[in-house]
Every structure is written in structure tokens, then in C-alpha cells.
Amino acid sequence: MRSVEDQLIKVTAAAVAPRPVRVAISEAQGLLCAEDVISERALPGFDQAAIDGYAVRSVDVAAAGTDVRDEDGELIDLALPVVGEVVAGSRQPIRLQPRQTVRVDTGAPLPTLADAVLPLDYTDGGRARIKVFEPVRSGDYVRRVGDDVQPGDVAVRAGAIIGAAQVGLLAAVGQDKVLVHPRPRLSVISIGGELIDIDRTPGPGQVYDVNSYALAAAARDAGADVNRVGIVSADPRRLRDVVEGQLVRSEVVVIAGAVGGWASEQVREALDGLGELEVARIAMHPGSVQGFGRLGRDEVPTFLLPSNPVSALVVFEVMVRPLIRIALGRRQPMRRIVNARTITPITSLPGRKSYLRAQLLRDETTGDYLVQALGSGNGASSHLLATLAEANSLIVVEPDDTDFRTGDEVRVAFLAQRG
């Protein structure tokens, strides 16, 4: 029986990263940038007001707030005439003269000679003339040319995941397209004479096709571009035609219901000659019987998964998901692992690396992670899909560990959900 680690080495070595493509920045979110994006312009492109207020020369308001009196000893208010207004988007240049001010909106171009902006609450808010209560220094409340990005700066680096901030920055420097590592294309096929689609009513011995829907969702969550083929007849000629069609349009193919007994023999007969395909026993639970190979002219990684939806999803999580993440260019393809204390006793099958459905919690007092196994850990409930739907993590139990008492520490893979 092959170890999980040895099988993963075999699988991840087959990862096929699609060639980088240039896409509109609106389509790049969540993808890995494949180039250093060099800005050709400064950001901001002109000196602009950072807040609503009054553009001034800082030297003209330096005495504001100080004890200045006239010849009769009376306090003198510092006042400046308001000689104009500049709104955001204005293209009319204004030159500020000494001891004058101009009303400006946030984002408005700063008048020539102005070197600071007085916030409204530093003044009495006058329209034709303002009293100034506090001074500002040169550069206060001003966004200078190139404060954010200078021409020649790298706006977004190769290897960065493009999120909302990166999309905004690309737009800000005038970049409408960007080179990215595209999502790998993945096709999901279900086989089984007992399967019907969810728009029909099951007859005796029939069940809904769960796998193609669940595995397609898991693939999308991993970052793949998914084609859910759905149910395909196990007839060798029909199955071969469908698989060959998917091999030319996919970087990964997943066939559910294709291991164990007669179904496995039919699949191998149908795919014979397309490439190397091995069905093996892996020292893991659930999903110990699984298949993997490289098919077609491009040696596309192809997985044969169990018909049991829970087993299929766990095998997908352990084997297929890392391959997708590598194809996306992610440096860390594996789930985050944390140490957690058990809330209840846990048992697992000896000799196999077990992945037990669980709820990961946080102790409000200590901040420690706590974990509760869902269902039985010994395999009796490995078919129960409802418990997997409740799970937010998998307890990872090594083959030599079988029993954990309440309070023992275990390793837990956190199945982070997309928000």
C-alpha cells in the first residue's frame, strides 16, 4: 500500500500550469500576476488637495493662532481673501498670489504657488474672506506628484495575487490589461448506472449524481475553471469519446465512480491506449482506492475517484486540490495546518493516514484552537455527507496514531471558506 506522501509526489509532479495570458484587469481578480507591471506615470499625476479646505502659501498663515496685536493692543485675527474655487476635475490653472487663498475640494489640483491646504475647521468657513485660527506647514494636507507611485516603479509584482487593491492600483496607473497565470481548466465526469441528474425523480435503485456537482464546486473553490460534464455512460466507446474530448480542453480531468469492481475494469478498458493510468491502494482513509495517470497527447493529469461522495471529496481535497494550486502558481498549495486540542476522544483506523471531518473552534479565554470530530472516526460513518457539510476542518491522523483522549493535541487542516 502506497503512502499518501508518495502518491502526492507522483500527483504534484504532473501539475500543468497553463501559459500566462493577458486579460482585462476586471477579469484578473484572484489570479497570480505573471509580470512586473511598471508604471509609466506618476500617481498622483499632479499636486492635489487631500481634503476639502483652502489652498494657501504656508508662510502666509504661519502667524495664525499666535498672540498678534495692533498698535492699540487689540488682538488681530489673521484673515485672507478667497479669490476663487477649484473643484475636483478642474482643468483651469489658477495662480495663487501672496496673502490670498482659494477654496479647494478633495482631489482638486493645487493652485500654482500654494504649498498647503487649510482644513475647514482651521477657519471660520467664509466664502469671500476667511479667518484663520491655526497654521499649517508646507506640504500639509497635500498629495504631491508621485507620492504613491513614481514613473518606473513596480506597481504590481510578478507572483502577487491580484485582489481589489491591485486592481485599483492597476487602474490608477492606467493599466487596462495584465499578464496573469490563468485558472487551470478542469473537467468533472460522473459514471455509474445508478445515477440520475437532480432534475429527475429517482426510481428503485437510483440515486442523484452528487459527485459531479460537489467536485465541480470543490474545484472552483480551489481556483479552477470548471466544466461539469455530468453523468456519462460507462459504455467503453462512449466514455472514451467523452474523455478524449475533455483531454483537449482541460489541464485536469476528474472521473468519479471509476474505482472499485466492475466500474474500474470498464474505465480502464475504455481508456486503454490513451496513456498511463494506475488504480492503486493508498494508505489513507477515506478513499484508499483511487486512480491517477496522464492521458492524451498532452499527458493531462487524470484522476479516478470513488463513487462515495465523502470519499471522493476527501481524495479531491488531499490529491487534486494541491495540483490545482500548483498550476495556479501558488507557492503554498497545501491547506493551513494548526494544532488543536480535542474536545472528545478520537479513534482512527490503524495503518492509514486518516482525514476526519471536524469542527475547529477557538477558546475565547486562552485563544487556543479546539477541535470536535464529527461522526465516528473508525470509518463506520464515512459515507455520511451531512457531517462533511457541517465540517470546517479535517483532523489529520498519522498511520501509527489510532487513539486520542480528550485534551490531546492533534493536527488540523482548516478548510477555509470563501467569503
Side-chain angles (χ1 to χ4, degrees), residues 285 346-356 377-378 395-405 408-411:
H285 176 78
I346 295 173
T347 61
S348 69
L349 293 176
R352 298 187 189 182
K353 192 168 187 175
S354 295
Y355 297 86
L356 310 178
N378 62 9
I395 300 171
V396 183
V397 182
E398 296 300 325
D400 294 336
D401 298 324
T402 56
D403 296 286
F404 293 90
R405 296 171 297 180
D408 283 351
E409 194 172 81
V410 293
R411 296 171 66 243

Side-chain angles (χ1 to χ4, degrees), residues 69-92:
R69 299 177 183 271
D70 62 16
E71 295 177 353
D72 299 325
E74 297 294 327
L75 287 173
I76 300 175
D77 288 326
L78 178 61
L80 298 175
V82 180
V83 298
E85 182 173 0
V86 182
V87 298
S90 173
R91 302 176 66 180
Q92 294 296 325

Side-chain angles (χ1 to χ4, degrees), residues 223-405:
D225 182 6
V226 180
N227 174 37
R228 189 189 70 83
V229 179
I231 305 166
V232 175
S233 166
D235 172 74
R237 181 175 297 178
R238 170 61 179 154
L239 180 58
R240 184 186 181 96
D241 287 345
V242 171
V243 171
E244 283 188 307
Q246 298 309 310
L247 289 174
V248 299
R249 59 172 294 175
S250 308
E251 278 78 42
V252 186
V253 172
V254 174
I255 306 173
V259 291
W262 184 62
S264 178
E265 294 177 9
Q266 280 189 304
V267 170
R268 278 183 284 188
E269 178 188 345
L271 305 183
D272 183 47
L274 290 181
E276 171 201 353
L277 188 62
E278 176 194 38
V279 175
R281 281 195 171 273
I282 310 301
M284 67 177 284
H285 176 78
S288 62
V289 181
Q290 53 189 267
F292 176 73
R294 303 186 192 189
L295 303 184
R297 182 184 62 187
D298 296 325
E299 297 188 335
V300 175
T302 302
F303 293 86
L304 306 182
L305 303 190
S307 58
N308 179 294
V310 171
S311 298
L313 280 169
V314 171
V315 174
F316 186 98
E317 173 67 30
V318 176
M319 298 294 174
V320 187
R321 190 178 194 277
L323 183 139
I324 293 172
R325 305 299 283 177
I326 292 171
L328 278 167
R330 300 299 169 91
R331 295 185 181 93
Q332 178 48 266
M334 303 303 183
R335 294 281 196 182
R336 178 189 175 198
I337 297 286
V338 300
N339 293 326
R341 290 186 287 109
T342 60
I343 294 176
T344 56
I346 295 173
T347 61
S348 69
L349 293 176
R352 298 187 189 182
K353 192 168 187 175
S354 295
Y355 297 86
L356 310 178
R357 291 148 286 170
Q359 273 280 352
L360 186 65
L361 312 168
R362 203 76 182 263
D363 188 310
E364 293 183 356
T365 304
T366 65
D368 293 343
Y369 284 108
L370 307 174
V371 67
Q372 179 178 12
L374 301 175
S376 170
N378 62 9
S381 62
S382 64
H383 65 289
L384 298 179
L385 190 59
T387 57
L388 187 61
E390 294 175 9
N392 66 359
S393 59
L394 292 173
I395 300 171
V396 183
V397 182
E398 296 300 325
D400 294 336
D401 298 324
T402 56
D403 296 286
F404 293 90
R405 296 171 297 180

Side-chain angles (χ1 to χ4, degrees), residues 98-109:
R99 297 194 59 78
Q100 291 182 344
T101 184
V102 170
R103 177 72 182 258
V104 289
D105 292 342
T106 301

